């Protein structure tokens, strides 16, 4: 079974995908980590994030795999925590906008689903482009202010709220306005606003939808 979870940065997709996969006995696929991995290696090799050909070559050549906890390995070495650094976060939108980068990573994402026989996949285009026939599709939303507050708590940096919110809004804009596979809600996805829900309540909301549609 394939379940897709899409939504903007900081909407709680990663935690949710992990929790939901654990509850259903499925594995999960963090596709943002794949775009971050390509971006990290590009920066390490002084490749300009705007250089489509060089970024695409990397996306095709890198061997991306996952450890037992679902954390990305780049040619066998752990991508965490470097893929979450602010330098990578700032450069990942332009890298992920190159169609040839997307083609290479979408191919690997579909191959992972095939190899594992199903999964919970989270990203921006899982329900719209990568797995259009998924059994269940969800689209998470939350206001930029709430997403920035969550990120400030993670970073333990309450004073940076305005700056972090501005970064989130810029990334939303770049991810939603790019030509190839922009962030958007699939017509058949269930939209869930997480502003007032804690992670456990979000999982329960999704499980309720899944059970309801299984009953027909
Ligand atoms: O979910 P995240 O913040 O780790 O994603 C990092 C970036 O990767 C995000 O700014 C957009 C891009 N991305 C994408 O274009 N398509 C996906 N399926 C997942 C992420």
């Amino acid at each position: 079974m394939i379940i897709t979870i899409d939504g903007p940065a900081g909407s709680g997709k990663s935690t949710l995908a992990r929790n939901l996969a654990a509850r259903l006995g499925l594995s999960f696929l963090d596709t943002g980590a794949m775009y971050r991995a390509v971006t990290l290696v590009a920066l390490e090799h002084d490749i300009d994030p705007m250089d489509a050909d060089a970024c695409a070559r990397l996306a095709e050549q890198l061997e991306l795999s996952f450890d037992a906890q679902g954390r990305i390995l780049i040619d066998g070495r752990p991508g965490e925590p470097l893929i979450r650094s602010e330098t990578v976060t700032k450069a990942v939108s332009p890298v992920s906008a190159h169609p040839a980068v997307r083609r290479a990573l979408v191919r690997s994402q579909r191959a992972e689903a095939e190899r594992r026989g199903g999964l919970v996949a989270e990203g921006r285009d899982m329900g719209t482009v990568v797995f259009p026939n998924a059994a269940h599709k969800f689209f998470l939303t939350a206001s930029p202010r709430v997403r920035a507050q969550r990120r400030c708590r993670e970073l333990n940096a309450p004073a940076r709220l305005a700056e972090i919110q501005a970064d989130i809004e810029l990334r939303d804009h770049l991810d939603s306005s790019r030509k190839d596979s922009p962030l958007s809600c699939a017509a058949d996805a269930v939209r869930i606003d997480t502003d007032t829900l804690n992670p456990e309540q979000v999982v329960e909301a999704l499980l309720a939808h899944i059970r309801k549609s299984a009953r027909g």
Side-chain angles (χ1 to χ4, degrees), residues 6-212:
D6 291 304
S11 56
K13 293 180 310 268
S14 298
T15 314
L16 171 64
R18 244 171 226 280
N19 292 346
L20 184 69
R23 291 284 291 270
L24 295 171
L26 292 169
S27 67
F28 81 96
L29 182 66
D30 172 358
T31 60
M34 300 171 77
Y35 289 96
R36 287 173 179 274
V38 175
T39 307
L40 171 66
V41 179
L43 296 176
E44 286 174 344
H45 288 79
D46 285 327
I47 291 172
D48 180 353
M50 303 301 286
D51 183 338
D53 290 342
C55 290
R57 266 197 303 280
L58 271 188
E60 276 157 24
Q61 286 163 5
L62 287 178
E63 196 192 303
L64 300 180
S65 56
F66 296 87
D67 70 11
Q69 278 74 45
R71 287 178 305 230
I72 199 157
L73 301 172
I74 309 170
D75 288 335
R77 74 165 160 134
E80 305 277 356
L82 285 180
I83 57 161
R84 311 278 164 202
S85 70
E86 288 192 38
T87 358
V88 170
T89 301
K90 281 194 196 309
V92 67
S93 282
V95 172
S96 65
H98 300 309
V101 168
R102 304 199 69 80
R103 270 197 300 280
L105 295 190
V106 166
R107 212 181 303 125
S108 323
Q109 290 155 13
R110 290 181 177 146
E112 279 295 321
E114 190 80 13
R115 201 173 58 73
R116 302 188 204 178
L119 37 67
V120 178
E122 63 105 338
R124 304 292 191 287
D125 58 344
M126 296 297 104
T128 47
V129 173
V130 185
F131 301 114
N133 300 319
H136 304 281
K137 299 183 184 180
F138 297 96
F139 190 84
L140 291 201
T141 60
S143 64
R145 169 56 60 130
V146 167
R147 290 187 279 136
Q149 284 165 342
R150 289 176 186 157
R151 185 84 186 115
C152 283
R153 271 199 298 276
E154 273 166 27
L155 297 172
N156 202 11
R160 296 181 53 202
L161 183 63
E163 172 211 340
I164 288 174
Q165 184 172 336
D167 280 352
I168 283 182
E169 284 172 338
L170 173 64
R171 205 140 65 91
D172 282 358
H173 170 70
L174 294 173
D175 294 345
S176 315
S177 60
R178 68 173 177 234
K179 281 211 180 67
D180 188 354
S181 315
L183 168 67
S184 72
C185 180
D188 51 352
V190 175
R191 225 177 230 278
I192 308 235
D193 184 342
T194 70
D195 264 7
T196 59
L197 303 176
N198 65 36
E200 187 51 31
Q201 290 170 319
V202 182
V203 179
E204 290 302 333
L206 265 66
L207 284 169
H209 276 286
I210 292 170
R211 289 191 202 109
K212 201 168 106 202

